Amino acid sequence: MRCLRLLQCLRKCSDNEILYSTQPLKPQASSSVPKHLTVTAEVVIPRLLWRLVLHFRTNYTPIVLKFDPMVISDVSPLLDLFDRLSKLGGVLRRVIVGALLDSDIYAKLMQASWPNRDSRKSIHQVLNCDSKILKDQCYWPIVSDFSNILSHQSVASYFFKDRLLMQLWSRFLTLFMGMNLNKRELGYHVEFEPNSYSTAFAAEIEGCAAPMWQIASHCHDKTTMLYTVALTKELQTALILWLENLNMGESLHPLQVSFHIPLIRYLSVFLKQGINEQGMTLPMLIRSPGRLRKLMMFPLQIMAAVNEVFCGMWVRNGLQMRCQAMTYLQCHFCASMADLDLYFLQVCAAMLEPAGFPVDEFIKVIFERFKVWKFVTFDPSHEPCNMDTNQEMSMLECLNFIATLVSVRTNLGMSADETLRLEMVTLLCMDDRTYNLTIPTMPHKRNNDYPTLVVKLDPNAPSTTLSQQTWPMSLFEVLFVVDSVNTFLVSLMPPYIPEKTGVINTNCKFEKTLKEIADYQLPTSDLGGLQQGKYSPKPEIWEKEFDPIHVMFRSMERKEFQSAMNNYTTYLNKSGKYKDKKLPWPPFQPLKSIHKEYKPLRKILNCRALHGLLYSLLYKAVHGSNMSETAVYMTIALINMALQCAPGEEEEGRQRSCTPTVWSISTMAILLGCLEARLTKKANPFEKEKVLHGQGPDYIKNVLDKAFAASPVCREVLKAICKRNSAAGGDQAGSCEGSPEAHEIRKKRSMEAKRRMIAKLAQQQKQFLESAFSEGMDSMMEMDGAASRTEEELPEYECVICSQVEPSTEDNPYGMCVLLQTTKVLGHRSQSDEPETLPLAEDQKLHSNKMKCYQLEASRWADATARFEKSSCLSSFSFNWEAGIHIQTCGHYVHIKCLKSFTESIGAHDLQARHLQVNAGEYECPICRQLANTILPCSLPRQPTSMAKYTCSNLAKLSLQISKRLGSATRQLNLGKNEFEMGVFKFTEDVFRQLTMELRKAARADAGGPFAYFCSLARTNIELYLVKRGGTLCRTKPDKSAEREPFLGLLLEIFSYYLDKGPKIPLHNTWQKVTGQYKPSKSDPEGTVPVLVQDPITLLFLLVYHLPQPITNDHLRCVILALYNLVHVQALTRIACKMSASDKHSYLIPAETSRQSEMSVLLGHIIQHLTHLRQSWLYVDIFGNEESPEAEFPSLLCYLHLSSSPSAEIQTHKFSMHSSQSMEIAQGNPLALIRSWCEEFNQFLLKCYAAEKSIRVPKSMIMFSPVFNCPRLIRLPKEYSQVFEFYRRQVCRKCSTKPRKPMICLVCGKLVCWASDCCVLFKHSKKFGEGIAHARDCGSLAAIYLDVDSSLTVLVQGQRLCRWASLYLDSHGEEDRGLRRGKPLYLCQERFDLLEKLWQSVKLKHFCKGWEWHLGGHE
């Protein structure tokens, strides 16, 4: 139509009236043309005609002798313009005729010659990957609609029948050929790494591959053979035109590569469909076999470039080249790219004879493209090929490519079931996989059902930031995530693949195949890490179906193949078939049958060129060349494959001249024998010796056995070699360079020389010592010996920064890397034995009637401070239940000076300090990388005090001595004399810095506040240790996590040193009251807490830290006995308060002895109140393991010297005594002591009654004796659907709206609005979300949340949060993060128990990974 319009326009312009008339042309009445328009036309129209003629001349193709329809359509607007101009009247027609008859224009056209395609450059045009259309994927709606239309059979039939449509589509595909061309940089690194590769891959997959599989789905039987023939014909024509436009020579540029050749891949798909599905032959489909020689260069270039990228030869091009190579092999792309490229090369190898391409030349082209041709030859003029040794050895993996070419048969006739099974075995051999990850990583063919979201890499953004294009897509398949180290292709596909026409039906066969090839491993949860439920190959799979070559082909990185070999080695070790420390050789599978049309492919294994190269590689391996083990076993594998493809005896007789397999193996037999001898260290290469399964000699032996059985000629040659070597007695092996005999001789000589050198050095050292130390230095040596003995007594530490090992000194002290964390775990202890359950109905309540520890202690502290002096309250109660500080360490030591320099260097680098609060003292341990924020100085040896030297068993004398010590005057804090004291002072300041501003002021408001706070802090860490042990000192099973912290004693020593240097709380009167030495007077201060109301555990810590350290066992026993008496009397008082009047009257017996007897009986029933004995035990030593809780109390009494019963009776559980029998008063009458305590308490009662008219509060204070159980998390339901359905309907109690992101606190059960504007809290001019604000109130800046929308566990600790694992797993033991797959989820009790254990031990920060700044929790 365009041509007809052009001829019509020219015919109008060539009217005889215009061309030959000498009269002026009369203008038409209907059109009057202005003069200025005529002048403009005379200037413009000649240029338009010139442009039109040059366009047709440039795009003329002599081969097909016609114009491409696309050529005419390109100038359609210009032809339309001439058509309209010809209709405007005679004036414009005269202008056109004048331009056509212009002599100057005619001369220019005659002088210009036709373009010579052999001399001009390539005129091939490709898409610009940087254009906005491709980057924004504006083409996606059109491509999607086009693919949907092609899915209909009638539309596809019309497409195949219309030749013009197929030509237009081929021309469209030509524009994708060679896009995003990469040029290897040899000089400097590129300044800017482009990210256009992601656009190119997305364009080919969506624009080319998706329609390709839809079109190919209609060519599946013989009824559509004509469709396949027609399309392959048009594709080959388009490829010929493309090669002509490309002006390609004999080979491609070795430093350039493009991963995009869709036309060749289209041809591969329809060749495969025609041969495998429709029963056609290669000659029927390939019309010009000679063109294959050039076309094969493009996929071969890609395969070689991928290997070069992984060898590091494209490193100067940046990380984007590695991204391209990995994307090319990635599971979502390889079916449309790598597999089809390999298949096209296999077709080319099968068509070598029709193409007139010698097999030897084909092998040479492969080795030359992989740049190893010069290495495998014996040419003495071997020149380096711009590669170091490691790269040159790595490039020998082209042997892997040849093995892949002849053995991988994914498209060579395998059925869908066989392909599915092979791919699943390959994936599971690489690594154990979850059920969900096994399905999406299967190589599959793309269609338009699931569009691809390509995440663009922002070079200016941080490594964790992804800028993504927003599309209304139902599936995000591939994300490109690039960090500073590596690139990961993360699949987010669901655990099912919808059935697509022409694609392997994974849904119906997957379950059955998975059960046949894999065993299920249950999920594990322990301190070593979390593991989901995974599938691993069955033992028989490793023996029969593990294909190393296919694993290499599917591996994106070398480590994946190495992982498969490690798993294979593990299987061999477990089965007892392999015991060597080295990795075994891969168990290459025998070649399997392929379609008859592809059988000529394997002729390359029998060519002379390949055998010559294999011979040269064997020679280099035997004679000590730096051959990698990979190249050696691949050489043996190719020889084995060649033997499998060797012709039979009859065929060998007819084709001996053209099939040199047997003759080549015969000549290589001697080298194989020497290689076996070198590997086994035998003297005779052909000596029979048992070798282990999987070793190299085992495979060589099998190759020689196959060669022996191949033909009579080979048998005769091998027999002659064996006979000659046996007669020579191993001379053959000895004659080989690098033989085992020579190696052993050299080894023995080296050992002898080494021994002589060591003896000579020892003799010289002895002579030097004898001459250096004369008689005048004897005294100095004695002094040095004494000093050395003193130094040996001091513990030595190794600094992980400077690696020095020495004792800690005052001027250069050591310290432990520790982490300080605020915690409220102890405050969440409850009096209830059963943990609370998460409510799942409106009528269910969460909180029980019994209050928690922090609530009771807060009420007790408020009642006490309202009635007593604060200084007296500090010495009577603990007050840090709201914000206790837990101290933990990784166990590594550093110099305090080294750590200071280390932290300063971190602060100077923004990249290192980005995830640390350097201003808050945070750093990472240089060894284990665990977080720390201060350093705990190592204690120095102390001089024993006079009390420490005093030993006495008299309690009265010990009590008086303690009383004198407590009566000494207090002093101001005096630290900073040396580096050690400065380190202690800094540690204590870091401890105070962890507190909130309010608690910090309260702790320092009184002079004795720091002393009382550090005593409470010591109690917090000891009680947390008891919580870790399950609330008891007894344990029936060994638990390594419950062992005593190695730094616990050091922590208590540093606390003691600090408290000894500062002001203390006066405890003189309190001690005298407890021991009965106190004599009341009128000058006694008012507002003191009665003894019966004071907390014995708090008194224990205060008294111990008041005494000089180290405290003796006698003084400690005296303190424990005094507090033991107090505990008994307090328990007796509580029981008396609970009795009725009649019960109290029954105990009022006149006889004193009877009362004491009854009292002892009564006290035996209150053993459960003696919890303070466990804390006192920790000050002495580790207590022995007990097997039952019943033995804990009597064992404690004996261990603390409160009882003299023999230990044998305790072990046999024959020990029977009442707790009152352990009471022992230091001096005075016990009844008088008890009477003084009761009188003091009665005065307090009278005073309270006079002021308040009630004794409820005093009675509650004396009745305060709760027994707290270990803190527990909220119990969760078994099925996650119950949580999701109930809490998605709940509203926030604070804002009365449904939370946008609801989360449940697993500590208290509260529902919070995460990242919402409705419940924002402003504090200290900062904005906090409800989740962070609740963490401050509920856990002292720590909280554990269950994200209702994603099933993940969100951890909050300080300024960080961590999105931890899910507590709910599906039936396959796998997580469903984000609830994308919609499968039923069930509670994993092991994970819940692990989380609870980590929370109780305050180790969430050390165990959980992936912490990030929460920034107030407001998004």
Side-chain angles (χ1 to χ4, degrees):
M1 182 62 69
R2 301 290 183 186
C3 294
L4 292 176
R5 291 172 59 188
L6 178 61
L7 294 175
Q8 183 180 5
C9 175
L10 295 176
R11 185 171 63 252
K12 290 180 180 181
C13 295
S14 61
D15 196 339
N16 292 334
E17 182 182 356
I18 299 176
L19 292 176
Y20 302 106
S21 176
T22 57
Q23 301 296 329
L25 183 65
K26 299 179 180 180
Q28 297 180 1
S30 60
S31 67
S32 59
V33 182
K35 184 177 181 180
H36 66 274
L37 182 59
T38 305
V39 175
T40 304
E42 291 176 352
V43 177
V44 174
I45 288 178
R47 297 184 179 182
L48 294 178
L49 289 174
W50 174 255
R51 173 69 181 275
L52 181 65
V53 173
L54 288 182
H55 175 75
F56 285 117
R57 175 176 289 184
T58 303
N59 292 278
Y60 173 71
T61 305
I63 298 178
V64 294
L65 300 178
K66 64 177 182 179
F67 289 109
D68 195 326
M70 297 295 294
V71 175
I72 300 177
S73 64
D74 290 342
V75 291
S76 178
L78 189 58
L79 297 176
D80 293 339
L81 176 62
F82 279 111
D83 189 17
R84 289 194 299 270
L85 291 178
S86 64
K87 297 177 181 179
L88 292 179
V91 176
L92 291 179
R93 286 201 299 268
R94 185 182 296 276
V95 174
I96 295 174
V97 171
L100 292 174
L101 298 178
D102 188 271
S103 58
D104 294 336
I105 296 177
Y106 180 76
K108 292 179 180 180
L109 291 175
M110 292 302 294
Q111 292 175 1
S113 59
W114 291 93
N116 185 5
R117 289 187 174 270
D118 294 333
S119 60
R120 67 187 178 91
K121 296 182 179 180
S122 171
I123 61 173
H124 171 57
Q125 296 180 346
V126 296
L127 295 176
N128 181 13
C129 296
D130 294 326
S131 65
K132 183 177 178 59
I133 295 176
L134 290 183
K135 280 190 172 182
D136 295 343
Q137 293 187 339
C138 300
Y139 56 84
W140 181 81
I142 301 175
V143 172
S144 178
D145 293 342
F146 179 64
S147 299
N148 289 330
I149 293 173
L150 286 177
S151 63
H152 299 279
Q153 179 68 35
S154 57
V155 177
S157 300
Y158 184 81
F159 173 81
F160 284 114
K161 293 176 182 178
D162 193 332
R163 185 179 180 184
L164 180 59
L165 288 177
M166 290 189 291
Q167 290 177 352
L168 289 175
W169 185 247
S170 300
R171 178 66 184 272
F172 172 76
L173 295 176
T174 306
L175 299 176
F176 291 84
M177 294 288 289
M179 63 178 174
N180 192 37
L181 184 65
N182 301 279
K183 184 178 180 181
R184 179 181 162 193
E185 296 290 338
L186 298 178
Y188 299 97
H189 195 282
V190 291
E191 296 181 0
F192 174 76
E193 295 186 18
N195 57 2
S196 57
Y197 75 92
S198 58
T199 304
F201 276 95
E204 181 176 350
I205 290 296
E206 298 295 341
C208 302
M212 175 182 67
W213 296 116
Q214 291 291 353
I215 298 172
S217 65
H218 301 290
C219 302
H220 53 80
D221 53 20
K222 293 185 178 181
T223 60
T224 55
M225 290 176 60
L226 296 178
Y227 296 165
T228 304
V229 173
L231 187 56
T232 53
K233 179 180 178 181
E234 295 301 329
L235 290 172
Q236 291 178 72
T237 304
L239 284 170
I240 292 173
L241 292 175
W242 177 68
L243 287 175
E244 291 294 333
N245 292 334
L246 194 63
N247 194 27
M248 175 187 170
E250 292 297 327
S251 62
L252 297 176
H253 196 292
L255 300 180
Q256 294 180 354
V257 66
S258 172
F259 289 88
H260 307 285
I261 47 175
L263 261 180
I264 296 178
R265 290 160 186 165
Y266 261 73
L267 181 60
S268 300
V269 167
F270 288 95
L271 288 176
K272 180 178 71 70
Q273 291 293 106
I275 296 173
N276 298 344
E277 304 291 338
Q278 298 171 328
M280 290 188 283
T281 62
L282 285 174
M284 292 174 60
L285 295 172
I286 300 179
R287 301 300 178 89
S288 301
R291 298 283 181 178
L292 296 178
R293 184 168 184 172
K294 284 190 175 182
L295 291 176
M296 64 164 282
M297 296 296 179
F298 295 94
L300 180 61
Q301 183 92 341
I302 296 175
M303 294 286 184
V306 169
N307 197 19
E308 290 177 356
V309 170
F310 292 137
C311 290
M313 300 175 65
W314 288 72
V315 67
R316 289 186 175 87
N317 289 67
L319 196 58
Q320 54 96 18
M321 277 305 300
R322 191 174 184 86
C323 293
Q324 293 187 61
M326 295 178 67
T327 307
Y328 176 75
L329 298 175
Q330 207 260 349
C331 58
H332 302 292
F333 296 87
C334 64
S336 301
M337 291 187 170
D339 288 0
L340 297 181
D341 293 348
L342 178 65
Y343 173 74
F344 187 78
L345 290 173
Q346 290 172 332
V347 170
C348 293
M351 293 289 290
L352 291 177
E353 186 174 348
F357 193 14
V359 181
D360 294 342
E361 189 68 21
F362 178 78
I363 295 296
K364 182 179 179 181
V365 168
I366 293 176
F367 275 77
E368 285 181 345
R369 183 57 197 88
F370 278 84
K371 300 181 177 65
V372 293
W373 176 254
K374 294 182 179 180
F375 175 78
V376 297
T377 62
F378 290 98
D379 187 3
S381 61
H382 169 64
E383 298 178 359
C385 48
N386 261 347
M387 293 184 295
D388 56 26
T389 305
N390 294 331
Q391 289 173 332
E392 196 167 4
M393 290 295 99
S394 299
M395 289 305 296
L396 278 175
E397 292 192 358
C398 65
L399 295 173
N400 300 354
F401 170 72
I402 297 177
T404 303
L405 193 67
V406 299
S407 62
V408 172
R409 54 193 191 101
T410 306
N411 296 317
L412 300 184
M414 288 183 67
S415 64
D417 295 344
E418 292 176 341
T419 305
L420 173 64
R421 188 181 183 93
L422 175 62
E423 297 294 347
M424 292 179 65
V425 168
T426 301
L427 290 174
L428 293 175
C429 288
M430 290 182 185
D431 197 6
D432 297 343
R433 297 181 181 270
T434 61
Y435 180 85
N436 183 40
L437 291 181
T438 306
I439 298 180
T441 49
M442 296 295 300
H444 61 282
K445 307 177 182 67
R446 297 289 311 280
N447 71 0
N448 63 299
D449 294 342
Y450 301 109
T452 298
L453 173 69
V454 177
V455 177
K456 299 178 290 184
L457 305 177
D458 186 0
N460 299 323
S463 59
T464 56
T465 302
L466 299 176
S467 57
Q468 65 183 27
Q469 183 67 32
T470 304
W471 291 97
M473 299 180 180
S474 61
L475 175 65
F476 300 113
E477 282 191 330
V478 180
L479 296 177
F480 295 94
V481 184
V482 178
D483 59 10
S484 58
V485 180
N486 208 336
T487 302
F488 302 91
L489 298 174
V490 184
S491 171
L492 297 181
M493 291 183 62
Y496 50 84
I497 298 180
E499 296 183 3
K500 300 185 288 290
T501 306
V503 180
I504 301 171
N505 191 353
T506 57
N507 282 338
C508 63
K509 298 291 185 180
F510 177 80
E511 294 285 350
K512 179 181 177 182
T513 307
L514 186 61
K515 292 180 181 179
E516 293 175 354
I517 67 175
D519 293 325
Y520 179 67
Q521 299 177 358
L522 293 174
T524 59
S525 304
D526 51 29
L527 293 176
L530 300 178
Q531 291 292 338
Q532 303 184 60
K534 293 185 177 182
Y535 289 87
S536 59
K538 291 185 176 181
E540 58 268 19
I541 296 299
W542 292 108
E543 292 288 346
K544 300 177 181 179
E545 301 187 39
F546 174 45
D547 189 355
I549 294 180
H550 197 269
V551 173
M552 291 181 194
F553 182 58
R554 287 287 180 240
S555 300
M556 288 192 297
E557 291 184 310
R558 181 70 182 178
K559 64 181 181 181
E560 294 182 351
F561 174 73
Q562 193 65 31
S563 175
M565 288 303 302
N566 292 337
N567 295 335
Y568 174 67
T569 306
T570 303
Y571 156 72
L572 291 179
N573 292 333
K574 288 182 178 180
S575 60
K577 297 180 179 180
Y578 188 79
K579 298 181 180 179
D580 199 354
K581 296 181 180 180
K582 295 178 59 179
L583 286 178
W585 283 16
F588 296 102
Q589 297 292 329
L591 293 177
K592 298 181 181 180
S593 61
I594 57 177
H595 195 280
K596 61 180 181 180
E597 288 296 318
Y598 310 116
K599 286 187 177 179
L601 157 70
R602 292 179 173 172
K603 289 184 178 180
I604 64 175
L605 293 171
N606 299 324
C607 69
R608 297 179 182 275
L610 180 61
H611 289 184
L613 297 176
L614 296 177
Y615 182 87
S616 64
L617 291 174
L618 278 179
Y619 184 85
K620 293 175 182 293
V622 170
H623 291 274
S625 178
N626 188 20
M627 285 278 292
S628 65
E629 190 177 14
T630 302
V632 174
Y633 64 63
M634 286 308 304
T635 302
I636 303 300
L638 286 175
I639 295 174
N640 191 12
M641 294 178 187
L643 284 171
Q644 297 177 45
C645 297
E649 295 184 6
E650 297 181 359
E651 188 177 356
E652 180 188 354
R654 296 193 303 266
Q655 300 180 356
R656 179 174 298 179
S657 59
C658 62
T659 308
T661 304
V662 176
W663 294 100
S664 301
I665 298 298
S666 302
T667 56
M668 285 189 283
I670 183 63
L671 290 178
L672 288 172
C674 291
L675 181 60
E676 182 187 7
R678 184 173 183 178
L679 294 175
T680 57
K681 298 181 180 180
K682 294 189 304 183
N684 189 350
F686 294 92
E687 180 184 354
K688 291 184 178 181
E689 183 178 341
K690 184 179 179 181
V691 294
L692 293 177
H693 176 76
Q695 288 183 336
D698 183 27
Y699 291 96
I700 297 175
K701 175 180 174 297
N702 294 335
V703 171
L704 291 175
D705 291 342
K706 290 181 181 179
F708 188 83
S711 69
V713 178
C714 191
R715 283 195 291 270
E716 294 298 329
V717 172
L718 291 177
K719 285 181 180 179
I721 295 175
C722 293
K723 184 177 180 180
R724 184 172 63 251
N725 281 275
S726 299
D731 292 341
Q732 180 67 29
S735 62
C736 294
E737 297 181 10
S739 63
E741 258 189 3
H743 177 72
E744 290 296 332
I745 294 174
R746 289 194 299 268
K747 185 177 180 180
K748 290 180 179 179
R749 292 176 180 175
S750 176
M751 293 297 294
E752 289 292 337
K754 186 177 180 180
R755 281 194 293 268
R756 288 196 300 269
M757 180 64 68
I758 293 175
K760 184 177 180 181
L761 291 175
Q763 183 65 23
Q764 293 178 355
Q765 184 179 11
K766 182 179 180 181
Q767 294 177 357
F768 174 77
L769 292 175
E770 291 177 353
S771 60
F773 294 98
S774 59
E775 296 180 358
M777 300 179 63
D778 292 342
S779 58
M780 186 178 295
M781 292 178 62
E782 292 179 0
M783 294 174 60
D784 292 342
S788 62
R789 286 191 298 270
T790 304
E791 290 180 359
E792 288 176 359
E793 296 175 358
L794 299 177
E796 292 186 345
Y797 309 97
E798 180 181 2
C799 178
V800 297
I801 297 179
C802 66
S803 300
Q804 291 185 5
V805 179
E806 57 185 356
S808 180
T809 60
E810 292 183 349
D811 297 330
N812 191 18
Y814 277 86
M816 293 184 72
C817 302
V818 297
L819 176 65
L820 306 176
Q821 297 181 92
T822 57
T823 179
K824 203 175 180 180
V825 173
L826 292 177
H828 284 285
R829 291 179 298 176
S830 176
Q831 303 178 63
S832 176
D833 296 335
E834 296 295 329
E836 300 183 33
T837 304
L838 185 70
L840 298 174
E842 298 293 344
D843 56 345
Q844 295 180 1
K845 294 183 179 180
L846 180 65
H847 297 285
S848 61
N849 296 328
K850 297 183 178 180
M851 300 176 67
K852 291 188 176 181
C853 176
Y854 75 93
Q855 296 171 334
L856 290 172
E857 292 288 353
S859 175
R860 184 186 188 187
W861 177 260
D863 293 339
T865 53
R867 291 165 178 81
F868 306 111
E869 292 292 336
K870 187 176 181 180
S871 59
S872 180
C873 293
L874 290 175
S875 63
S876 303
F877 310 104
S878 296
F879 59 92
N880 62 337
W881 304 106
E882 290 286 340
I885 295 181
H886 179 253
I887 305 174
Q888 58 185 344
T889 179
C890 61
H892 295 122
Y893 296 89
V894 293
H895 283 117
I896 295 181
K897 293 181 180 180
C898 294
L899 181 63
K900 183 179 180 181
S901 303
F902 179 71
T903 52
E904 289 176 356
S905 64
I906 293 177
H909 296 82
D910 295 337
L911 293 178
Q912 297 181 9
R914 185 173 297 175
H915 63 288
L916 297 173
Q917 286 182 314
V918 181
N919 296 332
E922 288 188 349
Y923 63 94
E924 288 182 343
C925 176
I927 293 296
C928 61
R929 313 305 298 173
Q930 288 191 7
L931 185 65
N933 52 15
T934 187
I935 183 170
L936 178 64
C938 295
S939 61
L940 300 178
R942 288 172 150 187
Q943 295 295 332
T945 61
S946 58
M947 283 188 63
K949 298 178 181 179
Y950 183 80
T951 58
C952 179
S953 60
N954 190 336
L955 293 179
K957 294 182 179 180
L958 292 173
S959 177
L960 290 174
Q961 192 176 18
I962 294 175
S963 180
K964 291 180 182 179
R965 174 68 181 182
L966 297 177
S968 59
T970 61
R971 53 188 175 185
Q972 297 295 327
L973 181 63
N974 185 16
L975 285 177
K977 296 180 180 179
N978 48 53
E979 291 292 335
F980 171 73
E981 292 189 353
M982 292 179 63
V984 173
F985 180 76
K986 182 181 181 304
F987 171 73
T988 56
E989 289 298 315
D990 291 339
V991 171
F992 276 112
R993 189 168 54 185
Q994 297 297 320
L995 300 176
T996 60
M997 188 65 67
E998 294 80 4
L999 292 175
R1000 202 179 308 167
K1001 292 181 179 179
R1004 291 180 171 177
D1006 191 87
F1011 183 87
Y1013 176 76
F1014 275 98
C1015 290
S1016 298
L1017 183 59
R1019 176 181 178 180
T1020 299
N1021 284 270
I1022 291 178
E1023 294 219 19
L1024 280 172
Y1025 172 68
L1026 286 175
V1027 169
K1028 189 191 304 184
R1029 297 178 64 100
T1032 178
L1033 297 178
C1034 302
R1035 60 178 184 267
T1036 56
K1037 295 181 180 180
D1039 187 3
K1040 293 183 180 180
S1041 63
E1043 294 295 336
R1044 190 174 62 168
E1045 300 285 348
F1047 74 103
L1048 194 56
L1050 175 60
L1051 175 65
L1052 300 178
E1053 290 181 9
I1054 295 300
F1055 281 170
S1056 173
Y1057 188 89
Y1058 173 78
L1059 297 176
D1060 187 55
K1061 295 290 184 178
K1064 299 179 176 62
I1065 297 177
L1067 294 176
H1068 180 263
N1069 293 342
T1070 303
W1071 174 253
Q1072 288 187 343
K1073 289 180 180 180
V1074 170
T1075 57
Q1077 305 175 28
Y1078 182 73
K1079 296 179 180 181
S1081 63
K1082 296 181 179 180
S1083 61
D1084 291 343
E1086 297 183 357
T1088 58
V1089 181
V1091 175
L1092 291 180
V1093 181
Q1094 293 183 3
D1095 182 14
I1097 303 177
T1098 303
L1099 289 177
L1100 173 66
F1101 280 87
L1102 293 174
L1103 290 171
V1104 169
Y1105 278 120
H1106 247 290
L1107 299 178
Q1109 302 295 325
I1111 187 173
T1112 63
N1113 292 334
D1114 294 333
H1115 292 90
L1116 181 60
R1117 177 174 175 269
C1118 181
V1119 172
I1120 293 175
L1121 275 174
L1123 297 178
Y1124 184 84
N1125 300 334
L1126 176 61
V1127 170
H1128 276 75
V1129 177
Q1130 286 179 340
L1132 177 63
T1133 308
R1134 296 187 192 104
I1135 293 177
C1137 292
K1138 294 179 181 179
M1139 291 181 179
S1140 62
S1142 59
D1143 293 336
K1144 293 179 181 178
H1145 181 72
S1146 64
Y1147 283 94
L1148 298 177
I1149 302 176
E1152 185 177 353
T1153 57
S1154 300
R1155 288 199 304 269
Q1156 292 178 359
S1157 177
E1158 294 294 335
M1159 182 188 303
S1160 63
V1161 174
L1162 181 61
L1163 293 179
H1165 296 283
I1166 54 176
I1167 301 175
Q1168 65 272 20
H1169 298 288
L1170 305 180
T1171 58
H1172 79 286
L1173 293 178
R1174 296 170 180 169
Q1175 282 79 12
S1176 64
W1177 161 80
L1178 292 172
Y1179 281 100
V1180 185
D1181 202 349
I1182 297 178
F1183 183 64
N1185 297 335
E1186 297 296 334
E1187 298 180 355
S1188 62
E1190 292 80 5
E1192 179 180 3
F1193 177 71
S1195 300
L1196 281 171
L1197 294 180
C1198 292
Y1199 191 84
L1200 298 174
H1201 304 285
L1202 301 180
S1203 174
S1204 59
S1205 185
S1207 59
E1209 296 183 5
I1210 298 176
Q1211 295 176 0
T1212 57
H1213 303 290
K1214 297 179 179 179
F1215 179 77
S1216 175
M1217 65 172 297
H1218 297 294
S1219 58
S1220 60
Q1221 298 180 11
S1222 298
M1223 293 183 61
E1224 186 176 355
I1225 304 300
Q1227 57 184 0
N1229 189 359
L1231 295 180
L1233 177 64
I1234 295 175
R1235 188 180 304 111
S1236 64
W1237 293 348
C1238 293
E1239 290 177 355
E1240 184 186 23
F1241 184 68
N1242 288 334
Q1243 294 177 5
F1244 169 62
L1245 291 178
L1246 294 175
K1247 182 178 180 180
C1248 291
Y1249 185 79
E1252 304 174 10
K1253 303 300 180 183
S1254 174
I1255 60 172
R1256 182 186 60 83
V1257 173
K1259 187 175 180 179
S1260 65
M1261 296 180 69
I1262 194 64
M1263 293 296 296
F1264 184 84
S1265 60
V1267 177
F1268 295 111
N1269 297 286
C1270 291
R1272 308 289 294 275
L1273 294 178
I1274 300 293
R1275 302 295 105 172
L1276 297 175
K1278 183 66 176 177
E1279 298 181 2
Y1280 186 74
S1281 58
Q1282 301 178 10
V1283 179
F1284 185 81
E1285 292 173 0
F1286 179 73
Y1287 283 94
R1288 284 296 298 174
R1289 301 192 306 265
Q1290 298 301 305
V1291 297
C1292 177
R1293 297 179 181 178
K1294 186 175 182 180
C1295 59
S1296 300
T1297 60
K1298 288 186 178 181
R1300 184 168 63 92
K1301 195 172 183 180
M1303 289 193 180
I1304 306 171
C1305 178
L1306 297 183
V1307 178
C1308 65
K1310 181 181 179 181
L1311 179 68
V1312 299
C1313 299
W1314 186 272
S1316 299
D1317 296 330
C1318 55
C1319 301
V1320 175
L1321 174 67
F1322 290 91
K1323 191 171 184 179
H1324 302 299
S1325 68
K1326 292 184 180 180
K1327 191 177 182 181
F1328 297 96
E1330 187 185 10
I1332 305 302
H1334 177 72
R1336 299 174 67 93
D1337 299 334
C1338 180
S1340 185
L1341 299 177
I1344 302 176
Y1345 293 110
L1346 175 63
D1347 190 351
V1348 178
D1349 291 340
S1350 65
S1351 77
L1352 291 179
T1353 307
V1354 179
L1355 312 176
V1356 177
Q1357 184 72 52
Q1359 303 298 323
R1360 296 177 174 87
L1361 67 84
C1362 171
R1363 292 176 176 85
W1364 196 55
S1366 175
L1367 297 176
Y1368 286 86
L1369 306 177
D1370 60 12
S1371 57
H1372 297 279
E1374 185 178 357
E1375 296 179 352
D1376 186 8
R1377 298 199 171 202
L1379 306 180
R1380 293 186 179 93
R1381 295 182 284 118
K1383 289 192 174 184
L1385 300 177
Y1386 306 96
L1387 179 66
C1388 179
Q1389 192 62 41
E1390 291 79 9
R1391 289 195 174 193
F1392 184 85
D1393 295 341
L1394 175 62
L1395 179 64
E1396 187 177 62
K1397 188 174 183 180
L1398 293 174
W1399 173 67
Q1400 292 174 351
S1401 58
V1402 200
K1403 287 189 176 181
L1404 291 173
K1405 224 169 202 178
H1406 276 185
F1407 179 80
C1408 304
K1409 306 300 180 183
W1411 292 90
E1412 58 188 29
W1413 304 113
H1414 60 63
L1415 303 178
H1418 181 75
E1419 300 175 3

